[in-house]
């Protein structure tokens, strides 16, 4: 690749700024991942739609179809191998993918997700109670936007309260490009070992949790214990990491657009808020583990066989698709939402993320109607990783709690 190729991430600018800059270069652009690994990134609505609409003959999700991962081009200690090499749901194709997805879908049903709303509401209320007597500037990331999704996903899978902080630490290590290969592999192995023990615990003493439901659903599918553990690994990580940042990004957007916040509060339009934040500043950024099975043309751009191809979940900001895409407006048409993907690999956790976010934002802003940022939005530190992105800290002034 030439010097004009965009590095992901790029030193000296926020990840969101990097994506905005890449978007101006075309629908599908060459990039360089950490470790000088060459890849392509789809950043237009058209290009992403073409990739996600594929029938499996153009791209594979399985790392065995990426020559660079096996011929020495990409070193064995590449940190992102923690995401490409593990044999979980997102790295499977065709019948293998359907077999695992069907099993988790039998346990992770819409009814089970909908039934979580009262519990999510109670968790949000408990966190608000912890904040009600706080005065002055507080960090909303540590006080609300992180503990809520972590508690929800961990309680859903039967993870004990004293074990939940370690889940968050492992996740942060795995998704961060600043972690070394040794650190990511250690975090993966430690979490897999923990989940193996959790699976055994739930097999011996089933409970009213998704791990127990997954074991029951697997009676028909016959997944191996390794497949079950890797499924748990993926769903628990994906089930809270992006929601943590989605909530943080939502608070920043709403506080920066007070008229939109006022409308959301007055008309209880929190579902529209969630969809607009997903469009305007998606917390899930790059989904990069697709591999071209042959030479292919996407949105008029030629991509060679074997190439690593990713797509940007923030394509709702594509000005070629929406002329006013840079405007935060909860009245936008969200029917072409791609933040959760499309097709066979559409995010299983989308209903839960939407439910959690709607409940969390409604509870927060209705409890603290005068909540405001304690600094300029540009001064808020963002997470350094490029796979997901949101505030590392979120300084706010809560104001009086609603009576």
């Amino acid at each position: 690749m030439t010097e004009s190729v965009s590095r992901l991430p790029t030193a000296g600018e926020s990840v969101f700024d990097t994506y905005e800059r890449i978007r101006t270069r075309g629908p599908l652009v060459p990039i360089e991942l950490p470790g000088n690994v060459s890849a392509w990134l789809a950043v237009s609505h058209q290009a992403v739609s073409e990739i996600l609409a594929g029938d499996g003959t153009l791209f594979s999700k399985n790392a065995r179809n990426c020559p660079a991962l096996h011929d020495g081009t990409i070193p064995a200690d590449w940190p992102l191998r923690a995401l490409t090499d593990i044999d979980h749901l997102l790295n499977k194709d065709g019948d293998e993918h359907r077999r695992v997805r069907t099993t988790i879908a039998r346990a992770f049903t819409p009814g089970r997700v909908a039934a979580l709303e009262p519990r999510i509401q109670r968790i949000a209320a408990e966190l608000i109670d912890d904040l009600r007597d706080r005065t002055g500037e507080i960090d909303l990331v540590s006080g609300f936007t992180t503990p809520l999704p972590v508690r929800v996903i961990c309680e859903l899978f039967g993870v004990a309260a004293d074990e939940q902080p370690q889940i968050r630490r492992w996740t942060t290590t795995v998704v961060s490009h600043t972690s070394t290969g040794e650190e990511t592999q250690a975090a993966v192995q430690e979490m897999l070992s923990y989940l193996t023990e959790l699976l055994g615990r739930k097999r011996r003493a089933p409970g009213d949790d998704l791990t127990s439901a997954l074991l029951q659903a697997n009676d028909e599918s016959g997944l191996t214990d390794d497949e079950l553990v890797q499924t748990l690994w993926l769903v628990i990580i994906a089930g809270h990491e992006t929601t943590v940042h989605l909530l943080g990004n939502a608070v920043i957007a709403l506080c920066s657009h007070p008229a939109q916040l006022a409308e959301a509060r007055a008309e209880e339009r929190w579902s529209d808020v969630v969809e607009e934040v997903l469009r305007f500043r998606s917390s899930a950024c790059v989904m990069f583990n697709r591999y071209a099975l042959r030479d292919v043309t996407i949105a008029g751009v030629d991509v060679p066989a074997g190439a690593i191809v990713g797509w940007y979940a923030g394509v709702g900001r594509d000005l070629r698709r929406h002329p006013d895409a840079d405007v935060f407006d909860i009245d936008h048409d969200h029917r072409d939402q791609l933040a959760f993907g499309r097709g066979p690999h559409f995010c299983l956790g989308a209903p839960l993320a939407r439910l959690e976010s709607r409940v969390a934002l409604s509870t927060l802003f209705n409890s603290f109607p005068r909540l405001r940022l304690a600094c300029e939005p540009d001064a808020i530190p963002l997470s350094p990783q490029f796979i997901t992105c949101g505030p590392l800290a979120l300084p706010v002034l809560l104001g009086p709690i609603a009576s």
Side-chain angles (χ1 to χ4, degrees):
M1 290 188 174
T2 67
E3 292 184 355
S4 64
V5 171
S6 296
R7 292 177 178 268
L8 198 61
T10 297
E13 66 182 3
S14 75
V15 171
F16 288 126
D17 288 340
T18 299
Y19 288 126
E20 290 300 294
R21 179 169 51 78
I22 292 175
R23 276 201 307 117
T24 66
R25 300 190 55 198
L28 186 72
V29 298
I31 61 169
E32 189 176 273
L33 295 170
N36 301 319
V37 172
S38 300
W40 293 79
L41 183 63
V43 291
S44 75
H45 191 280
Q46 178 188 353
V48 171
S49 296
E50 289 183 19
I51 289 172
L52 298 185
D55 59 2
T57 62
L58 300 181
F59 296 100
S60 171
K61 296 277 286 177
N62 195 308
R64 65 172 173 251
N65 291 304
C66 179
L69 286 169
H70 307 286
D71 63 10
T73 302
I74 298 176
D77 63 351
W78 187 45
L80 294 184
R81 282 186 180 272
L83 301 177
T84 62
D85 291 6
I86 191 168
D87 189 26
H88 58 54
L89 182 67
L90 290 186
N91 292 340
K92 292 179 180 291
D93 298 314
D95 290 342
E96 290 184 355
H97 171 258
R98 280 187 290 274
R99 185 172 67 95
V100 179
R101 187 179 177 101
T102 298
T103 304
I104 186 67
R106 287 196 190 107
F108 203 23
T109 63
R112 182 180 287 272
V113 171
L116 290 172
E117 183 164 358
R119 181 55 186 150
I120 296 171
Q121 186 65 66
R122 286 195 294 273
I123 292 173
E126 290 169 8
L127 294 171
I128 293 297
D129 283 343
D130 292 340
L131 296 175
R132 66 170 58 244
D133 296 325
R134 301 276 296 274
T135 59
E137 181 180 309
I138 72 158
D139 173 27
L140 207 59
V141 168
S142 60
F144 189 78
T145 65
T146 293
L148 188 145
V150 171
R151 284 181 60 180
V152 169
I153 199 67
C154 286
E155 289 188 15
L156 178 61
F157 281 90
V159 175
D162 62 344
E163 298 167 348
Q164 293 175 13
Q166 185 62 68
I167 294 288
R168 181 61 189 156
R169 288 193 289 272
W170 283 325
T171 298
T172 300
T173 300
V174 168
V175 302
S176 177
H177 73 277
T178 60
S179 301
T180 66
E182 289 183 355
E183 289 170 337
T184 55
Q185 289 300 330
V188 168
Q189 292 307 314
E190 288 169 13
M191 188 169 176
L192 290 175
S193 295
Y194 165 79
L195 292 173
T196 299
E197 190 276 331
L198 177 67
L199 200 68
R201 193 191 313 168
K202 296 301 178 181
R203 184 174 275 130
R204 292 189 298 272
D208 184 21
D209 56 72
L210 197 55
T211 303
S212 300
L214 182 61
L215 283 167
Q216 184 177 6
N218 191 47
D219 289 342
E220 297 180 28
S221 305
L223 301 183
T224 66
D225 276 7
D226 281 348
E227 288 175 315
L228 288 171
V229 167
Q230 289 157 359
T231 297
L232 286 173
W233 182 88
L234 172 66
V235 178
I236 290 177
I237 287 181
H240 81 272
E241 167 68 13
T242 52
T243 308
V244 166
H245 292 320
L246 172 59
L247 291 177
N249 293 339
V251 171
I252 295 171
L254 288 168
C255 289
S256 302
H257 299 84
Q260 295 291 304
L261 173 57
E263 184 175 350
R265 290 191 63 240
E267 301 179 11
E268 288 295 318
R269 294 184 58 187
W270 301 107
S271 292
D272 291 330
V273 167
V274 173
E275 295 306 309
E276 179 62 359
V277 174
L278 288 167
R279 184 203 68 78
F280 182 77
R281 179 153 280 192
S282 173
S283 58
C285 296
V286 167
M287 312 298 167
F288 67 86
N289 58 330
R290 274 178 167 79
Y291 315 105
L293 293 172
R294 57 181 175 81
D295 293 348
V296 62
T297 300
I298 298 293
V301 179
D302 295 330
V303 177
I308 300 173
V309 179
W311 60 277
Y312 178 40
V315 293
R317 292 290 289 269
D318 183 1
L319 294 172
R320 288 159 289 200
R321 179 75 174 185
H322 304 289
D324 62 344
D326 288 338
V327 177
F328 182 81
D329 185 350
I330 62 176
D331 288 323
H332 268 123
D333 183 352
H334 300 114
R335 285 176 295 181
D336 61 352
Q337 181 70 264
L338 291 177
F340 291 113
R342 181 176 288 166
H345 285 275
F346 178 80
C347 178
L348 268 171
L352 178 59
R354 285 176 160 129
L355 173 61
E356 280 185 72
S357 300
R358 172 175 60 79
V359 171
L361 294 172
S362 172
T363 304
L364 178 66
F365 283 102
N366 286 329
S367 298
F368 298 106
R370 292 171 58 184
L371 184 151
R372 64 189 189 278
L373 299 179
C375 65
E376 292 299 316
D378 289 345
I380 294 172
L382 298 177
S383 54
Q385 61 260 32
F386 62 90
I387 297 171
T388 63
C389 192
L392 286 174
L394 188 47
V396 301
L397 298 170
L398 295 174
I401 195 164
S403 57

